[in-house]
Amino acid sequence: MRGTRWGVAAALLCCTLSGCGDVGAREDGAARAVTRFEAGLRASDAARGCVALAPGTRDELEQSAELPCARALPDAGLPTASEVRHVDVYGRQARVVTDRDTLFLSSFPDGWKVTAAGCTERPEKPYQCLIKGG
């Protein structure tokens, strides 16, 4: 019986650490992160949009544009969405489909961050994204 308790405790700990808790709460968190990101784009608040990007994505955007994020993000050509249509969460990763875009996110200690945006689905191939982390 003692071994079973340790096994259950270990499984719960692994589940908690890997992010397989309440899926609905994680989906809501990812959707809120995209909504904040999109609000920054619509309001021409590039600094707000940059805060919503994952560090690697922000770095990649700055390096490819050879500009600071706040100047590069408005020029990235991202579509601005007004509605989240669907959220898929897989552990610490999420895909959020809006009315005009598909975005990918990762969970960080301070919340969900956009790892790729402006993504277009391609049959039998990975998504092609306007911005993404390296």
Side-chain angles (χ1 to χ4, degrees), residues 50-99:
C50 290
V51 169
L53 294 175
T57 304
R58 188 173 45 251
D59 292 345
E60 182 73 25
L61 175 63
E62 290 176 337
Q63 287 177 10
S64 65
E66 297 181 353
L67 293 168
C69 182
R71 290 188 47 213
L73 189 57
D75 295 338
L78 295 174
T80 52
S82 59
E83 175 186 0
V84 171
R85 292 199 172 155
H86 186 76
V87 180
D88 296 309
V89 174
Y90 306 98
R92 297 173 42 108
Q93 308 296 312
R95 178 182 67 133
V96 178
V97 178
T98 70
D99 56 340

Side-chain angles (χ1 to χ4, degrees), residues 1 9 12 16 31-32 39 45 52 58 61 74 84 90 95 104 106-107 127-128:
M1 185 65 135
L12 287 173
T16 300
R32 280 192 305 274
D45 187 353
R58 188 173 45 251
L61 175 63
V84 171
Y90 306 98
R95 178 182 67 133
F104 293 89
S106 287
S107 178
Y127 280 77
Q128 182 161 348

Side-chain angles (χ1 to χ4, degrees), residues 7-68:
V8 170
L12 287 173
L13 178 62
C14 287
C15 194
T16 300
L17 293 176
S18 69
C20 62
D22 181 15
V23 174
R26 290 182 296 132
E27 288 174 347
D28 291 346
R32 280 192 305 274
V34 166
T35 300
R36 285 190 302 271
F37 177 70
E38 294 290 343
L41 294 178
R42 280 193 309 280
S44 298
D45 187 353
R48 183 178 179 185
C50 290
V51 169
L53 294 175
T57 304
R58 188 173 45 251
D59 292 345
E60 182 73 25
L61 175 63
E62 290 176 337
Q63 287 177 10
S64 65
E66 297 181 353
L67 293 168

